[in-house]
């Protein structure tokens, strides 16, 4: 009987391992087929700008207009790629023996409706280099989660964004801003003409509004400074 039990257990283990291997091979085959299909799709045109030119425009106030100008360039259109490798253009000419670029590229769209469709589609992949910052701040949440985890997080937070809750939060934030203008902005800056840093003041008011409207908690000045320090803002 012991030999029969051992034989049964061995067969069961072999069956489980075989099923797991079959599933892995199936998934790998599907992935390879998908990659082959993607290779056959035409790539969007490359924007006629070098890496340094792109970095210059991306780091300045010209960013949205820069993308708009690219989309209106002949033979480019609203969907295009930008080179994100310092030596991409050089290596592209050496390795591919043509004017194509080499290295990592980003696909950009200057079409507002298309961008809205992409952002609303939960099936789209959220790249870690863009959405990873949300995990550093609040862990894996609705902002960075994928698939079933995203649906679970969305259901968890959906009651907080009910129309009644949104109206309540708008009233709370409006009241806070009115108090800041009456008690701080007008007497300290407008009447006296004292200069101030708008970005610092607005950031503090934004965090106070989030704390009060979202968590019903009045954050203190010490806590506010600690949050700004931790987030390195």
């Amino acid at each position: 009987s012991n030999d029969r039990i051992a034989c049964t257990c061995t067969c069961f283990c072999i069956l489980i391992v075989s099923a797991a291997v079959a599933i892995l091979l199936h998934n790998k085959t599907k992935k390879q087929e998908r990659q082959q299909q993607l290779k056959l799709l035409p790539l969007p045109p490359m924007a006629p700008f070098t890496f340094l030119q792109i970095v210059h425009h991306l780091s300045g106030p010209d960013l949205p207009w820069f993308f708009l100008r690219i989309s209106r360039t002949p033979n480019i259109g609203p969907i295009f790629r930008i080179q994100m490798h310092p030596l991409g253009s050089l290596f592209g000419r050496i390795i591919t023996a043509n004017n194509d670029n080499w290295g990592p590229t980003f696909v950009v769209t200057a079409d507002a409706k298309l961008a809205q469709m992409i952002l609303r589609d939960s099936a789209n992949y959220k790249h870690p280099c863009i959405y990873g910052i949300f995990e550093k701040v609040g862990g894996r949440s609705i902002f960075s989660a994928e698939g079933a985890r995203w649906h679970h997080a969305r259901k968890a937070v959906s009651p907080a964004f009910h129309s009644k809750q949104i109206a309540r939060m708008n009233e709370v934030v409006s009241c806070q801003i009115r108090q800041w203008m009456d008690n701080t902005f007008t007497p300290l800056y407008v009447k006296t003409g004292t200069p101030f840093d708008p970005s610092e003041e607005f950031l503090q008011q934004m965090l106070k509004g989030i704390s009060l409207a979202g968590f019903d908690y009045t954050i203190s000045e010490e806590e506010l400074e600690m949050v700004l320090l931790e987030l390195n803002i």
Side-chain angles (χ1 to χ4, degrees):
S1 60
N2 292 335
D3 293 340
R4 183 175 298 177
I5 293 174
C7 181
T8 302
C9 292
T10 302
C11 293
F12 183 71
C13 292
I14 293 175
L15 180 63
I16 293 177
V17 172
S18 300
V21 171
I23 292 174
L24 292 175
L25 291 176
H26 174 75
N27 293 337
K28 184 177 181 180
T29 302
K30 289 295 184 181
K31 184 178 180 180
Q32 291 177 346
E33 291 177 356
R34 177 60 178 167
Q35 291 176 346
Q36 291 296 330
Q37 292 175 357
L38 292 176
K39 288 181 179 179
L40 298 177
L41 296 177
L43 292 175
M46 184 71 70
F49 291 91
T50 64
F51 171 77
L52 293 179
Q53 290 174 329
I54 292 173
V55 170
H56 171 73
H57 288 286
L58 293 183
S59 59
D62 188 46
L63 173 59
W65 315 116
F66 174 62
F67 286 157
L68 187 61
R69 289 198 302 272
I70 294 178
S71 67
R72 294 176 178 176
T73 303
N75 301 324
I76 296 294
I79 304 176
F80 51 88
R81 290 179 295 157
I82 57 175
Q83 178 59 247
M84 296 304 295
H85 193 286
L87 302 177
S89 300
L90 174 62
F91 285 151
R93 294 186 179 91
I94 295 176
I95 295 176
T96 63
N98 54 35
N99 291 328
D100 195 9
N101 292 72
W102 174 86
T105 61
F106 281 80
V107 177
V108 180
T109 176
D111 188 329
K113 292 184 178 181
L114 177 59
Q116 188 179 49
M117 292 175 59
I118 294 173
L119 293 174
R120 285 183 172 180
D121 187 357
S122 60
N124 286 321
Y125 174 64
K126 298 178 180 178
H127 202 283
C129 72
I130 299 176
Y131 292 89
I133 186 174
F134 294 109
E135 294 187 7
K136 296 179 181 179
V137 175
R140 193 157 182 78
S141 62
I142 189 173
F143 299 104
S144 58
E146 296 280 355
R149 175 61 182 169
W150 179 87
H151 286 284
H152 176 76
R154 184 178 183 275
K155 289 182 179 180
V157 301
S158 58
F161 293 94
H162 191 272
S163 57
K164 293 182 179 180
Q165 291 291 342
I166 296 296
R168 181 193 65 82
M169 289 190 288
N170 286 339
E171 180 60 29
V172 170
V173 173
S174 297
C175 181
Q176 174 210 332
I177 295 300
R178 286 194 297 267
Q179 290 179 356
W180 174 73
M181 294 184 66
D182 295 338
N183 302 331
T184 303
F185 181 70
T186 301
L188 295 183
Y189 303 128
V190 177
K191 292 184 177 180
T192 63
T194 304
F196 71 100
D197 186 349
S199 61
E200 181 178 353
E201 287 288 342
F202 294 158
L203 181 59
Q204 291 180 0
Q205 294 306 312
M206 181 191 69
L207 294 177
K208 289 180 179 179
I210 293 175
S211 175
L212 189 59
F215 304 98
D216 196 20
Y217 177 75
T218 303
I219 188 171
S220 64
E221 295 296 332
E222 292 77 11
E223 292 171 328
L224 187 61
E225 292 180 2
M226 184 180 301
V227 171
L228 294 175
L229 181 63
E230 289 293 331
L231 296 179
N232 194 24
I233 299 179

